[in-house]
Amino acid sequence: MEINLKGRHALVGGSSKGIGRAIALQLARSGARVTVAARSSSALQATVAEMEAHHPAGHHHLCVDYSDIKNYKTTITEYLKESPADIVVNNTQGPPAGTSLEQTPESYQKAFELLFQTAVTTTAAALPHMQQRRWGRIINVASVSVREPLGYLALSNTMRAAVVSWGKTLASDTGRYGITVNSVLTGYFDTERLAALNDKKAQQMGIAPEAVTARLKEQVPLGRLGRPEEYGFLAAFLASDQAAYLTGAVIPLDGGLLRSY
């Protein structure tokens, strides 16, 4: 099966590094014109340069701060009016780690704006074009913690569950336009975000970060962390014509980590 995304414009959030970057690179390899969005201009420019060097298609970068919802809404709405997207990958940096006892109403509000409001805002700005063309792909990067909450990620657990529920509802409303909406439950991937979380856990437990990573691997039936490029493969399929009958799905990508159905 060959995935061909030529003629499609993809907007990938949080794509200066990690999973977002891997998704952007794979969409470019599949022929899409990709806009990468995040806070770091230098990292985004490097990603665009790599995509243009190997898969030229007029790729672009957009500097945005997902934690500033007011300015983000203005920036993304104006950008998508000028350069409509056929494929939207809703992804941002994660909120601070911590248990529910460590959070405040204000921290939940900030996490709500970071994870939920940005996804809704981006999608709302992209939908008119998708509806007009009667084709569109919305992919939400979520977490396995939606099904099995992780005690040290209270903010992420809560807000990503809201995103997944919203995505499922949206899929019912957009299907008539040929627009699919799917969410991916992310397991343990070899990224800077996971490394930072492991460092924090290691300090709390008084052990080496490598020991924390080893314990995570032991929980995964495949016995390893996921590679970011493997995430890109799934995203490219979800963005393709071959996935036209797949919508409203909540897909674990976790090496078998989840024990629930």
Side-chain angles (χ1 to χ4, degrees):
M1 179 178 68
E2 180 179 353
I3 293 176
N4 186 347
L5 299 178
K6 290 181 180 179
R8 306 295 188 190
H9 174 213
L11 172 67
V12 184
S15 45
S16 61
K17 57 186 177 181
I19 286 171
R21 184 175 186 276
I23 291 173
L25 292 174
Q26 186 57 45
L27 294 181
R29 292 188 192 103
S30 300
R33 175 171 63 91
V34 181
T35 294
V36 288
R39 293 171 294 182
S40 174
S41 177
S42 59
L44 291 175
Q45 290 179 30
T47 300
V48 169
E50 181 175 349
M51 293 189 295
E52 283 294 330
H54 301 286
H55 309 282
H59 306 297
H60 192 258
H61 79 278
L62 181 66
C63 286
V64 293
D65 184 353
Y66 292 103
S67 64
D68 185 349
I69 189 61
K70 183 178 180 180
N71 286 330
Y72 176 76
K73 183 175 183 178
T74 300
T75 301
I76 201 65
T77 300
E78 291 179 354
Y79 181 78
L80 288 175
K81 281 183 180 179
E82 297 177 1
S83 186
D86 308 291
I87 302 161
V88 168
V89 179
N90 287 313
N91 178 50
T92 74
Q93 72 269 25
T99 69
S100 57
L101 297 179
E102 297 174 299
Q103 308 308 327
T104 65
E106 290 74 23
S107 62
Y108 280 105
Q109 179 63 35
K110 289 180 180 179
F112 173 72
E113 293 174 357
L114 174 65
L115 294 179
F116 187 84
Q117 284 285 70
T118 55
V120 172
T121 297
T122 307
T123 302
L127 277 176
H129 169 73
M130 295 181 181
Q131 289 174 298
Q132 183 179 21
R133 296 194 66 179
R134 304 192 74 81
W135 196 99
R137 299 289 185 266
I138 299 165
I139 302 168
N140 300 316
V141 173
S143 169
V144 291
S145 66
V146 167
R147 287 189 180 165
E148 297 177 8
L150 299 170
Y152 59 94
L153 292 179
L155 296 176
S156 181
N157 297 345
T158 305
M159 301 309 160
R160 294 193 192 281
V163 170
V164 169
S165 180
W166 162 76
K168 183 69 173 176
T169 305
L170 184 64
S172 299
D173 296 328
T174 59
R176 72 192 73 175
Y177 300 104
I179 301 168
T180 67
V181 186
N182 294 291
S183 299
V184 181
L185 303 187
T186 311
Y188 298 137
F189 275 76
D190 189 9
T191 63
E192 293 179 19
R193 163 73 170 172
L194 183 64
L197 292 173
N198 286 352
D199 286 344
K200 182 176 181 178
K201 289 178 66 177
Q203 291 175 5
Q204 293 173 340
M205 300 171 66
I207 60 177
E210 294 77 14
V212 176
T213 301
R215 292 183 182 185
L216 295 185
K217 291 179 180 179
E218 290 174 358
Q219 298 175 40
V220 180
L222 290 181
R224 64 176 176 85
L225 302 180
R227 297 186 293 271
E229 59 267 28
E230 293 175 304
Y231 212 111
F233 300 148
L234 175 59
F237 171 69
L238 292 176
S240 72
D241 286 330
Q242 287 90 336
Y245 201 60
L246 179 60
T247 193
V250 180
I251 306 169
L253 187 60
D254 63 355
L257 174 67
L258 284 176
R259 300 308 191 252
S260 57
Y261 288 109

